[in-house]
């Protein structure tokens, strides 16, 4: 028998709706099949083709694709020369990889609080964290909205820091009319299936800096080079290569690259549909005092990867967990992005204290992510809205004393 909704009656949906889903069409499938029938499964022509396409899309001079967004962050930190004793400033409202990349290099992640309205890292909080050990900022474009790049770039210039933009959510967004990916010292992308475009897995680092580009290429593949000008010993013949540094195998396959090339052709469509859904959600929720909307900065023309529903605690008789469960009972399966990174036991064991970023911690208590992806039908979107409105009204403080 169907489980009743927490607000009573039958659930708004009979089939579950999840917070994200990839969109793969026949062209995507054909482009992968072509690679499977070709001579190269990895390190073939699709890698360069994808890198060129990312450069054309973003306006960046160089792109280095790699196995995933975490590898991209690690590569960027290595290219920036981050090492033991250094500090790297990032936000706690992100996936753990944004801070882990500093740890991989032996450096210390330092967490700066967010802007309570946009949920992105607050440049004023970053500034307070800068000291003589600070080497870089890993600034996350949370939900796809650009960080305040002008202020962060200015700060980095003034203090001699490297700005690494963790753009795992940002593909398709522009800042002051220029695509994110061409603006920070390095920008990383993730192509995980919940992201706007996917390669199954995949990542990229974009930069305008030739020296970073050289290092990114080197670290992506074991620290090995075939370029004679980089070699330390005399070239011995056409087979010859040298390992001149310690790198990793962070290569992307041609199979992933082919899928991504095909997916990128649909980015304008994906982007437009995501914007449409966000606009519809915003319109529906702006009338509810129980819900606060994520503020948009005018500089960012945002392709939203995530839609955050923020609850206003003093307007509701239930908390985030109960709201989340009530939505699930309507068969709307949300998620929470993110648990503040330093809450994790691993970070606690490293000595991070709870309470260091109060605005981020408050947001964590009040937020959940609603379904947002290209393949959602208008009916799916309306179902989500009906469910949210139903729960928000049922458990509104003003509605009496419904509690769960
Ligand atoms: C903000 C952020 N940074 C980095 C990553 C890591 O990307 P990947 O999963 O491709 O390694 C993610 C992915 O979830 C992310 O959301």
């Amino acid at each position: 028998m169907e489980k009743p909704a927490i607000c009573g009656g039958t659930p708004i949906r009979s089939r579950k709706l999840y917070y994200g889903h990839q969109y793969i069409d026949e062209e995507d499938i054909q482009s992968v099949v072509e690679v499977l029938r070709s001579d190269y499964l990895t390190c073939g022509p699709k890698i360069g083709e994808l890198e060129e396409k990312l450069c054309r899309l973003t306006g960046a001079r160089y792109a280095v694709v790699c196995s995933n967004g975490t590898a991209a962050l690690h590569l960027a930190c290595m290219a920036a020369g981050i090492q033991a004793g250094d500090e790297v400033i990032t936000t706690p409202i992100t996936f753990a990889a944004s801070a882990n990349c500093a740890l991989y290099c032996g450096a210390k992640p330092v967490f700066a609080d967010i802007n309570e309205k946009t949920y992105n890292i607050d440049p004023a909080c970053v500034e307070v964290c800068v000291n003589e050990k600070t080497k870089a900022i890993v600034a996350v474009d949370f939900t796809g909205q650009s960080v305040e790049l002008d202020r962060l770039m200015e700060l980095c210039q003034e203090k001699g820091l490297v700005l690494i933009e963790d753009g795992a959510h940002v593909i398709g967004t522009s800042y002051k009319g220029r695509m994110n990916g061409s603006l920070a010292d390095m920008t990383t992308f993730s192509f995980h299936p919940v992201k706007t475009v996917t390669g199954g897995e995949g990542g990229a680092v974009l930069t305008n800096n030739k020296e970073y580009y050289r290092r990114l290429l080197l670290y992506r593949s074991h620290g090995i080079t075939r370029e004679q000008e980089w070699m330390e010993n005399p070239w011995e013949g056409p087979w010859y290569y040298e390992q001149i540094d310690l790198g990793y195998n962070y290569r992307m396959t041609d199979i992933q690259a082919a899928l991504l090339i095909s997916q990128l052709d649909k980015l304008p469509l994906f982007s437009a549909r995501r914007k449409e859904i966000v606009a519809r959600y915003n319109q529906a929720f702006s009338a509810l005092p129980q819900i606060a909307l994520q503020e948009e900065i005018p500089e960012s023309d945002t392709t939203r990867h995530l839609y955050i529903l923020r609850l206003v605690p003093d307007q509701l008789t239930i908390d985030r967990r109960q709201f989340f469960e009530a939505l699930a009972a309507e068969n709307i399966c949300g998620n929470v992005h993110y648990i503040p990174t330093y809450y994790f036991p691993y970070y606690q064991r490293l000595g991070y204290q709870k309470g260091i970023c109060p605005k981020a911690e408050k947001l964590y208590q009040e937020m959940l992510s609603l379904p947002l992806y290209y393949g959602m039908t208008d009916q799916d979107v309306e179902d989500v809205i009906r469910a949210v409105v139903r729960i928000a009204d049922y458990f509104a403080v003003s509605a009496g004393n419904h509690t769960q």
Side-chain angles (χ1 to χ4, degrees), residues 68-70 73 94-95 97-98 140 166 168-169 190 192 195 202 338:
N68 53 60
T70 305
L73 283 166
T94 183
F95 185 61
S98 316
V140 179
D166 179 346
H169 302 180
S190 161
H192 181 275
K195 302 299 191 304
Y338 289 95

Side-chain angles (χ1 to χ4, degrees), residues 143-144 169-173 196 271 274-275 301-305:
T143 73
H169 302 180
V170 90
I171 198 160
T173 293
T196 301
S271 182
R274 282 174 177 269
K275 285 179 181 176
D301 180 358
T302 303
T303 294
R304 204 80 81 79
H305 157 55

Side-chain angles (χ1 to χ4, degrees), residues 124-390:
C125 298
V126 173
E127 194 165 359
V128 174
C129 295
V130 175
N131 62 38
E132 66 287 349
K133 293 183 183 164
T134 311
K135 186 87 183 208
I137 300 170
V138 174
V140 179
D141 305 299
F142 178 61
T143 73
Q145 170 160 234
S146 178
V147 286
E148 292 175 65
L149 277 169
D150 275 357
R151 287 186 64 194
L152 291 172
M153 287 193 295
E154 209 175 287
L155 182 66
C156 285
Q157 223 156 32
E158 192 190 309
K159 309 276 185 188
L161 310 177
V162 180
L163 182 60
I164 299 171
E165 188 182 353
D166 179 346
H169 302 180
V170 90
I171 198 160
T173 293
S174 60
Y175 179 84
K176 289 191 168 177
R178 291 170 67 195
M179 294 303 279
N180 291 65
S182 61
L183 304 165
D185 292 311
M186 284 177 269
T187 303
T188 63
F189 287 161
S190 161
F191 303 120
H192 181 275
V194 293
K195 302 299 191 304
T196 301
V197 294
T198 187
E201 294 272 2
V205 189
L206 297 112
T207 184
N208 294 324
N209 180 310
K210 195 170 178 187
E211 178 54 23
Y212 289 151
Y213 176 58
R214 188 184 88 89
R215 294 185 205 167
L216 292 165
L217 290 176
L218 202 61
Y219 295 134
R220 173 174 68 177
S221 195
H222 308 278
I224 283 173
T225 186
R226 288 180 183 276
E227 301 289 329
Q228 285 189 48
E229 57 173 311
W230 299 352
M231 288 182 184
E232 291 172 23
N233 296 316
W235 185 72
E236 293 181 13
W239 69 88
Y240 190 68
Y241 59 84
E242 278 183 358
Q243 184 186 340
I244 58 169
D245 210 326
L246 184 62
Y248 295 80
N249 177 355
Y250 279 165
R251 296 186 302 260
M252 177 185 276
T253 66
D254 269 39
I255 305 167
Q256 293 164 287
L259 178 53
L260 276 162
I261 290 165
S262 175
Q263 286 264 298
L264 282 171
D265 288 338
K266 291 182 278 287
L267 179 58
L269 275 180
F270 291 164
S271 182
R273 179 63 180 152
R274 282 174 177 269
K275 285 179 181 176
E276 215 170 70
I277 297 170
V278 168
R280 178 71 193 106
Y281 280 163
N282 281 346
Q283 182 200 31
F285 303 144
S286 60
L288 296 177
Q290 304 90 320
I291 305 296
L293 301 187
Q294 182 181 1
E295 197 169 285
E296 293 175 8
I297 59 166
E299 294 86 351
S300 179
D301 180 358
T302 303
T303 294
R304 204 80 81 79
H305 157 55
L306 294 172
Y307 189 90
I308 304 297
L309 192 75
R310 183 168 194 175
L311 308 180
V312 179
D314 61 9
Q315 296 290 327
L316 286 160
T317 59
I318 55 173
D319 62 14
R320 186 268 313 275
R321 178 170 167 185
Q322 292 164 320
F323 202 106
F324 189 98
E325 287 167 351
L327 264 181
E330 304 285 0
N331 284 320
I332 310 290
C333 304
N335 208 325
V336 173
H337 299 91
Y338 289 95
I339 302 161
T341 308
Y342 58 77
Y343 274 22
F344 292 128
Y346 182 79
Y347 277 83
Q348 290 285 299
R349 283 200 294 277
L350 291 178
Y352 291 88
Q353 304 287 322
K354 289 189 178 175
I356 53 180
C357 297
K359 290 176 186 165
E361 294 182 22
K362 185 166 186 320
L363 175 64
Y364 169 57
Q365 294 302 330
E366 298 170 1
M367 68 168 161
L368 57 95
S369 310
L370 291 182
L372 175 63
Y373 54 93
Y374 174 75
M376 286 178 79
T377 64
D378 288 346
Q379 187 58 55
D380 292 337
V381 176
E382 294 312 313
D383 287 348
V384 174
I385 291 170
R386 277 175 56 220
V388 169
V389 171
R390 184 183 192 194

Side-chain angles (χ1 to χ4, degrees), residues 36-51:
L36 292 175
R37 294 190 203 284
S38 79
D39 290 334
Y40 292 94
L41 294 188
T42 195
C43 299
K46 292 295 172 191
I47 299 299
E49 196 181 325
L50 173 60
E51 289 175 341

